[in-house]
């Protein structure tokens, strides 16, 4: 029997390929920011973007790749961590260090560089680049990975980092679910459905993240059952 939940050295190359495709999609989606005629992304005529006929799917729908990222995260987390978290062999502190140590250094460096760039741009031309809420409050929210937790006024500084902000919340929710609840397909499906309902009703990023992340967990459990 293949023990997919225990071997951390295992690697599914299809996941790497999907990550690469998703990353490329996000790059294409945000490329439109360099063709703005004003501070709002909707002012871009996407049909005039470079090689639009070839890459129109990326230009028009690249934002959906974020949902794929959340789904892949759910798959990988349930594959790599669900058993050790459920059995108590990894503490919450160790889990947090493992995850945040991979994200926080680059996050802080990027935030500082973007803050400097936004400040220079405001000084030179009197406007920020795309994201307008670049004050001290939003800087602190970004510093704490809280830029998209519902207490912000809007996108700020490095706007695309909203997905990482949601991902950090998903880490905590994942750990709590694995530690306190049984890892069952029906339970994960219910949490995923709840997330999508929250997104549909309230249009908040956390619903989008929860729905896709736990859907990825469902896919892993189905995959594990098939490969057993």
């Amino acid at each position: 029997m293949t023990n997919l939940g225990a071997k951390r050295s295992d690697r599914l190359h299809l996941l790497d390929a999907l990550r690469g495709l998703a990353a490329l999609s996000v790059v294409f989606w945000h490329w439109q920011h360099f063709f703005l005629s004003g501070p709002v992304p909707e002012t871009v005529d996407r049909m005039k973007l470079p090689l639009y006929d070839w890459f129109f799917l990326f230009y028009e729908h690249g934002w959906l790749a974020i949902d794929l990222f959340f789904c892949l995260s759910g798959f990988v987390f349930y594959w790599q961590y669900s058993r050790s978290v459920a059995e108590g062999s990894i503490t919450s502190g160790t889990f947090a260090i493992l995850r945040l140590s991979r994200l926080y250094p680059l996050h802080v460096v990027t935030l500082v560089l973007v803050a400097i760039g936004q400040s220079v741009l405001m000084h030179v031309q009197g406007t920020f680049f795309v994201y307008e809420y670049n004050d001290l409050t939003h800087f602190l929210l970004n510093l704490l990975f809280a830029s998209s937790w519902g207490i912000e006024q809007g996108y700020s500084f490095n706007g695309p980092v909203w997905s990482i902000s949601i991902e950090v919340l998903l880490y905590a929710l994942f750990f709590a679910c694995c530690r306190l609840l049984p890892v069952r397909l029906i339970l994960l499906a219910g949490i995923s459905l709840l997330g999508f309902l929250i997104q549909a009703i309230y249009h908040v990023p956390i619903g989008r993240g929860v729905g896709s992340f736990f859907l990825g967990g469902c896919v892993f459990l189905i995959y594990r059952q098939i490969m057993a």
Side-chain angles (χ1 to χ4, degrees):
M1 181 179 293
T2 304
N3 189 349
L4 295 174
K7 294 184 179 180
R8 296 192 177 189
S9 60
D10 288 351
R11 193 175 189 91
L12 293 177
H13 295 290
L14 178 59
L15 297 184
D16 294 331
L18 288 174
R19 280 199 192 99
L21 179 62
L24 182 64
S25 299
V26 172
V27 168
F28 270 98
W29 173 253
H30 288 290
W31 190 250
Q32 64 184 288
H33 290 163
F34 296 100
F35 296 86
L36 290 173
S37 58
V40 183
E42 284 73 16
T43 59
V44 174
D45 183 355
R46 296 194 186 101
M47 294 186 68
K48 295 181 179 179
L49 294 175
L51 301 176
Y52 176 85
D53 290 339
W54 289 14
F55 301 117
F56 71 94
L57 284 177
F58 294 103
Y59 283 134
E60 297 291 346
H61 307 291
W63 61 276
L64 291 171
I66 297 299
D67 300 279
L68 177 57
F69 270 124
F70 285 141
C71 192
L72 290 172
S73 290
F75 186 102
V76 170
F77 270 62
Y78 273 94
W79 173 26
Q80 300 282 30
Y81 293 111
S82 60
R83 178 169 298 176
S84 57
V85 172
E87 294 175 349
S89 58
I90 182 172
T91 66
S92 58
T94 300
F95 180 77
I97 291 172
L98 285 172
R99 302 316 308 163
L100 296 181
S101 63
R102 296 168 61 92
L103 296 175
Y104 202 68
L106 180 59
H107 172 67
V108 171
V109 171
T110 303
L111 175 60
V112 170
L113 291 176
V114 170
I116 293 172
Q118 291 281 28
S119 178
V120 170
L121 195 62
M122 173 58 76
H123 178 74
V124 171
Q125 65 180 37
T127 184
F128 290 120
F129 180 71
V130 184
Y131 307 111
E132 299 182 350
Y133 296 100
N134 300 314
D135 52 25
L136 178 59
T137 298
H138 285 83
F139 183 86
L140 293 176
L141 289 178
N142 275 268
L143 198 62
L144 297 173
F145 278 126
S147 59
S148 293
W149 291 3
I151 53 179
E152 73 285 351
Q153 290 182 279
Y155 292 118
S156 59
F157 294 100
N158 183 20
V161 83
W162 74 265
S163 61
I164 304 299
S165 175
I166 296 300
E167 188 97 355
V168 170
L169 286 181
L170 294 174
Y171 294 163
L173 183 58
F174 163 80
F175 189 93
C177 287
C178 288
R179 182 60 61 86
L180 301 175
L181 302 172
V183 180
R184 298 287 186 270
L185 179 60
I186 186 65
L187 181 59
L188 268 61
I191 297 174
S192 176
L193 178 59
L194 178 61
F196 286 128
L197 286 175
I198 291 173
Q199 168 63 17
I201 296 172
Y202 298 106
H203 305 287
V204 291
I206 185 60
R208 185 177 173 187
V210 169
S212 298
F213 183 92
F214 285 93
L215 177 60
C218 291
V219 173
F220 166 71
L221 294 184
I222 294 171
Y223 175 78
R224 182 176 64 179
Q225 186 64 33
I226 293 173
M227 298 299 292

